[in-house]
Amino acid sequence: MPQNVLLAEDDRAIRHALERALTLEGYAVTAVADGVEALAQAHRTPPDVLVLDVMMPGIDGLQVCRVLRAEGDRTPILMLTALVETADRIAGLDAGADDYVVKPFDVEEVFARLRALLRRTGLVNGTPADVPAVPSASASASASKEASGQIVAAGLRMDIQARRAWRGQRELELTRTEFELLELLVRNTGIVLDHATIYDRIWGYDFGPGSKNLAVYVGYLRRKLDEPGAPALIHTVRGVGYVLRED
């Protein structure tokens, strides 16, 4: 059974081209031209995934995202944006988006990101997804333990079933992607994970050395984790990747 995609894009040419490409790829697509229609359609027939343009008249993509998240809607959201500054991308993540693609984009990249989002929700091509296994954390067993669905490491505690996380007594407000990235790092405390491994485990696709996607998410996750006077937890290993450890 095809996944239902709700596409909101005010540029007619882009909307029609993307609608056609997604349909040929096997998705059932509902295309609308603005945020008001997107919200109405999402309430009327909840989709499996949303593709929202950021810049739309009336209610823009960020506002649509905020409204849905405030309502408790956790449907995966992929943002389309012509804004290339890191602060603009962070605004989308802060609104509750799960991922973003910068215009002009390659349609194959859109397909890859949609597959990754659907894989994380448990469905790809209408069937339960075969999610790649997380790398072994045996080398960090002394730093990370799992009991009753919880993982504890380096002053962090994660409830995997409830999808909640804390540093000390402070609960962290994390998006879906931030939570999964933190879970991957916590499960592998003390182990350096290279960029390709992280892309594969979180997005299911390596976007190549020119992509800033991972760096943006790590930077935003650091902002939520870091505390004045407390040790940094996520460390950059130049030219390799990232590691979670408490120095």
Side-chain angles (χ1 to χ4, degrees), residues 15 17 19-20 28 44-45 53 66 69 72 84 86 113-115 127 132 143 147 157 176 182-183 212 234:
R15 184 173 67 253
E19 180 182 10
R20 182 173 183 276
R44 184 164 50 245
T45 308
D53 181 33
R66 291 189 187 101
R69 294 306 188 232
V84 298
T86 298
R113 292 178 187 258
L114 286 177
R115 287 194 298 269
T127 59
R157 179 167 58 90
R176 180 194 301 271
L182 183 60
E183 179 187 353
K212 301 298 183 184
I234 301 177

Side-chain angles (χ1 to χ4, degrees), residues 52-92:
L52 301 176
D53 181 33
V54 171
M55 304 292 288
M56 292 188 291
I59 299 177
D60 64 20
L62 295 181
Q63 291 173 292
V64 172
C65 192
R66 291 189 187 101
V67 169
L68 292 175
R69 294 306 188 232
E71 294 173 346
D73 190 325
R74 304 311 303 168
T75 303
I77 296 176
L78 175 67
M79 304 294 291
L80 305 178
T81 178
L83 306 173
V84 298
E85 295 297 325
T86 298
D88 297 317
R89 303 181 193 184
I90 286 175

Side-chain angles (χ1 to χ4, degrees), residues 202-222:
I202 303 302
W203 286 276
Y205 185 84
D206 187 349
F207 298 105
S211 174
K212 301 298 183 184
N213 203 49
L214 177 56
V216 169
Y217 274 95
V218 168
Y220 203 49
L221 190 54
R222 280 170 168 160

